[in-house]
Amino acid sequence: MTQFHAHRWIILALLLGAVAAVAGGVYRLGYRQALDSLAERSTADLALASDRVTTQLQVYQELAVLMADHPTLKRLERAEARAAAQGLLREVADKTAALDVFFVDRAGRVVVAAEGVMGRDVTQTGYFHRAMQGALGTGYGVLQPDGRRAYIYAAPDFDVDGRVRGALVVVADVEDVEQTWRGSLPAVFFTNRGGEVFIANRRELLFWQRSAEGPGLSPPDGRQVALRSWLEGPHEIWDLRWSPYLPERALHQAVNLPQIGMVGEILVDVAPARRLAGLQAAAMAAIVLALGAMLGLAIERRRTLAEANTVLESRVAARTRALSATNMRLTREVQERQEAEAALKRAQQDLVQAGKLSALGQMSAGISHELNQPLMAIQQYAENGEAFVARGKPERAGENLGRIAQMAGRMARIIKNLRAFARNESEPMGRVDLGQVIASAIELTEPRLRQDGVHLHWQPPAEPVFAWGGEVRLSQVFVNLINNAADAMLEQEQREIRIAIETRHDEGDARLAVIVRDIGPGLKEPEKIFDPFYSTKAVGSSEGMGLGLSISYGLVQSFGGHIRGANTGDGAEFTVELDRWRAQAGTGPQQQDEVA
């Protein structure tokens, strides 16, 4: 009985823990969702406030641009015109509620002003230097001695010859801009480049400074306040209990406003979101408690039946453990087999790529020579073309440029073939033009054949001959066969290789055969030529490890083809048989047979 009561207390503790976990999860999820909704509204509020500020300031910007070339301001050189200009500027300032409107010359001296609040010299201001460069200058600051905040636009005025003769400056009253939206939104403020609050819909936030120690703002009286912030998902939350004018915890968002050189920021109270999430969590906790009570009653009723089935369950458990052990053993064996197969496949792929790189290494000297010749020719043609231009013979220079283009095209083809041959092909098999593949292999091996004095006889087919396979892998096969044929004839004076494409019929099905024939000493042991590491070269030779034909054999087999080698009496002959690609199937040989 004591064990039963202990068991019941454990179940109760687990139930309470589950209730707490579910309630916590629901609270967090509900809080995040409420923050998302709150963020959408605050984004719209911040955009509205930013648009209000920029729109109202833009009025003064347009005023400066439109007034800059006013005819009255063009006659300021005459003393009698300055009185009229001053009257004009005062009228404009009165109608637009601007703090001041004045005109400065190129030296930065104020020529005429409506009020004269900026003094007589503005040469040290950034907006003046910007206007003197022919662009619209902007600036902001606090006017002395009354402490009014001003936003300034300076529009350049141009002479008839296009030079800047001066600038019209409009000084906007920032407090007048704030009047239309102050207190109508959550706390919105705009900080300048120095991190100081310059515009705000809460007067008490003006001139607060962004702290260098972290997020938040510091009051202008120098008081030290605690700064703390954290992220709730993508949202930044500020702890603002250090300010009586702001909510204790607020969602902070900001938007950059390059058109006025400030950053708009908003602080929205998250208390409603927390209350909503708390109500959702409480409701879910009540539901879980009710379900837990119902579940407890059901468990109590089934306790007797569970005790009666204990023996049976123990036997089932023992049998299950035995089956699980067996299943785990079989699973490990299957996994080991799969890992071995994957390792074998990777090794095969690495071996194929190594074969390509080995072939490229053998051909590197010839290819370097093949690229060096066009480069030297290009240099010579370029020098000749320069000389012809200097002599006034543009048609001869054009001929040299044409030859340079031909040499560059030749180098591009060589590099294109090298890059295609060296890449690790991963595309599925499909239609391959045999003539093009053989031509690419010949172009890759041509420098080496020319260097070794090997004559290659190859007549490209008049029409494309399409086979089933992979272009890069087939190119590697033919590169290996041509290099092996050239290696076999190094010890003799006469060296020839012949390549031909034939169509053969095997049990009513047409197949393509590519024949590579040389006039070398022939194959010593034809039955072993496709074995890995079989080589007739001297031990320790750098010419290869006997893997080229083995790799070629595996590649051709992967296409569903066949490769074989034999002696002809005058040398060796290798035949590569491949399935013909059929346009109506467009896939593999099996689908081709079904269509046929």
Side-chain angles (χ1 to χ4, degrees):
M1 184 62 68
T2 303
Q3 292 180 352
F4 169 72
H5 287 295
H7 182 67
R8 187 164 59 182
W9 282 111
I10 292 174
I11 293 177
L12 180 60
L14 292 176
L15 176 61
L16 293 177
V19 170
V22 171
V26 171
Y27 177 85
R28 191 168 187 82
L29 178 61
Y31 187 41
R32 291 278 181 88
Q33 292 176 344
L35 284 180
D36 291 340
S37 178
L38 191 64
E40 292 179 0
R41 293 197 299 271
S42 62
T43 299
D45 291 341
L46 180 57
L48 177 61
S50 301
D51 288 342
R52 285 179 176 177
V53 171
T54 55
T55 301
Q56 289 178 276
L57 289 177
Q58 191 174 7
V59 172
Y60 297 99
Q61 172 187 334
E62 294 172 354
L63 173 63
V65 174
L66 293 175
M67 287 290 296
D69 58 350
H70 195 279
T72 304
L73 301 178
K74 296 291 186 180
R75 300 188 294 271
L76 290 178
E77 293 80 6
R78 293 179 291 181
E80 61 274 12
R82 295 185 181 180
Q86 185 175 24
L88 173 66
L89 296 182
R90 283 180 177 174
E91 181 181 0
V92 170
D94 292 339
K95 291 182 178 180
T96 59
L99 290 177
D100 197 4
V101 182
F102 59 93
F103 187 87
V104 297
D105 58 15
R106 288 185 56 85
R109 294 186 300 271
V110 177
V111 180
V112 61
E115 301 294 338
V117 298
M118 302 301 291
R120 304 301 300 174
D121 190 348
V122 295
T123 55
Q124 301 303 318
T125 60
Y127 60 83
F128 168 75
H129 290 288
R130 182 68 172 165
M132 291 302 100
Q133 295 173 359
L136 180 68
T138 61
Y140 47 80
V142 179
L143 302 182
Q144 300 299 332
D146 54 1
R148 287 183 296 178
R149 289 166 291 139
Y151 198 94
I152 304 166
Y153 288 102
D157 181 28
F158 299 91
D159 280 329
V160 292
D161 58 355
R163 295 193 308 167
V164 179
R165 60 182 291 269
L168 180 71
V169 182
V170 177
V171 183
D173 189 354
V174 173
E175 185 171 358
D176 184 71
V177 174
E178 291 173 343
Q179 293 298 328
T180 59
W181 57 283
R182 179 171 291 163
S184 61
L185 295 170
V188 178
F189 54 93
F190 298 84
T191 56
N192 56 26
R193 295 184 182 90
E196 183 183 51
V197 177
F198 192 73
I199 306 175
N201 65 347
R202 301 290 190 273
R203 180 177 292 275
E204 56 270 16
L205 287 178
L206 289 177
F207 305 118
W208 285 48
Q209 185 74 32
R210 182 176 295 282
S211 175
E213 301 175 3
L217 301 170
S218 299
D221 55 7
R223 287 183 290 124
Q224 297 296 323
V225 294
L227 303 173
R228 193 165 70 92
S229 72
W230 61 92
L231 292 177
E232 283 289 347
H235 308 297
E236 183 181 8
I237 306 299
W238 281 14
D239 186 353
L240 303 174
R241 284 176 287 187
W242 39 266
S243 174
Y245 308 107
L246 300 172
E248 291 186 359
R249 291 183 180 179
L251 171 67
H252 173 259
Q253 288 185 308
V255 61
N256 190 28
L257 302 174
Q259 59 270 39
I260 62 174
M262 295 186 183
V263 176
E265 303 182 56
I266 188 170
L267 295 172
V268 184
D269 192 3
V270 298
R274 297 176 63 188
R275 285 195 297 269
L276 178 61
L279 290 175
Q280 292 175 345
M284 182 57 67
I287 294 173
V288 174
L289 281 174
L291 292 176
M294 296 173 62
L295 181 61
L297 291 175
I299 291 175
E300 185 68 21
R301 290 179 180 180
R302 300 189 61 180
R303 183 177 60 83
T304 303
L305 181 60
E307 291 177 352
N309 292 333
T310 302
V311 177
L312 178 61
E313 290 179 356
S314 63
R315 293 177 180 176
V316 173
R319 182 63 176 166
T320 301
R321 285 194 297 271
L323 292 175
S324 298
T326 303
N327 185 45
M328 291 178 62
R329 186 172 63 256
L330 292 176
T331 302
R332 285 196 299 270
E333 292 178 358
V334 171
Q335 185 177 2
E336 291 173 357
R337 185 180 297 273
Q338 291 175 345
E339 291 176 354
E341 291 177 355
L344 178 60
K345 184 176 293 185
R346 288 194 300 270
Q348 291 173 342
Q349 294 174 351
D350 293 343
L351 188 60
V352 170
Q353 190 66 12
K356 291 184 191 177
L357 299 179
S358 176
L360 285 176
Q362 295 178 14
M363 298 184 294
S364 61
I367 292 173
S368 299
H369 181 71
E370 191 72 9
L371 291 175
N372 189 48
Q373 280 186 334
L375 284 174
M376 296 177 62
I378 286 174
Q379 181 181 4
Q380 184 64 40
Y381 286 137
E383 294 174 354
N384 292 342
E386 183 179 5
F388 284 131
V389 170
R391 296 173 185 175
K393 298 180 179 180
E395 67 282 354
R396 297 296 302 276
E399 293 176 3
N400 281 268
L401 291 176
R403 294 190 182 99
I404 290 174
Q406 293 174 1
M407 293 296 177
R410 177 183 175 189
M411 295 174 64
R413 288 196 307 273
I414 295 173
I415 295 173
K416 177 182 177 183
N417 289 331
L418 282 174
R419 186 166 51 193
F421 180 77
R423 75 172 186 262
N424 196 353
E425 184 184 47
S426 59
E427 293 82 8
M429 294 187 297
R431 187 179 75 170
V432 176
D433 186 351
L434 268 184
Q436 182 63 38
V437 170
I438 295 174
S440 298
I442 292 175
E443 192 164 3
L444 285 172
T445 56
E446 183 179 6
R448 182 261 170 95
L449 298 180
R450 187 185 303 111
Q451 179 180 355
D452 292 342
V454 178
H455 300 283
L456 190 144
H457 302 276
W458 154 250
Q459 182 63 38
E463 298 291 337
V465 179
F466 297 116
W468 174 260
E471 183 176 351
V472 175
R473 286 173 282 177
L474 268 180
S475 177
Q476 182 177 2
V477 171
F478 294 125
V479 167
N480 286 341
L481 293 180
I482 294 173
N483 281 332
N484 284 346
D487 290 340
M489 297 182 293
L490 288 178
E491 303 299 329
Q492 60 190 50
E493 294 184 0
Q494 188 175 3
R495 302 161 187 171
E496 291 184 4
I497 298 176
R498 294 183 181 274
I499 302 177
I501 299 178
E502 297 180 358
T503 301
R504 298 182 177 181
H505 296 274
D506 185 8
E507 297 180 358
D509 187 16
R511 303 192 78 188
L512 298 173
V514 180
I515 302 171
V516 181
R517 182 182 295 115
D518 61 53
I519 58 172
L523 305 174
K524 294 182 179 180
E525 297 175 290
E527 68 281 0
K528 294 184 179 180
I529 56 176
F530 296 114
D531 293 344
F533 303 106
Y534 173 78
S535 176
T536 59
K537 300 178 178 66
V539 177
S541 172
S542 61
E543 298 297 329
M545 298 184 297
L547 290 175
L549 289 178
S550 177
I551 293 173
S552 300
Y553 183 86
L555 292 176
V556 175
Q557 290 286 331
S558 69
F559 306 144
H562 182 67
I563 181 173
R564 62 179 179 271
N567 290 318
T568 62
D570 295 328
E573 176 184 275
F574 284 87
T575 303
V576 178
E577 292 186 354
L578 299 167
D579 290 314
R580 181 185 291 272
W581 185 86
R582 297 183 179 178
Q584 61 268 33
T587 53
Q590 294 181 356
Q591 288 82 353
Q592 295 173 8
D593 294 338
E594 293 174 0
V595 174

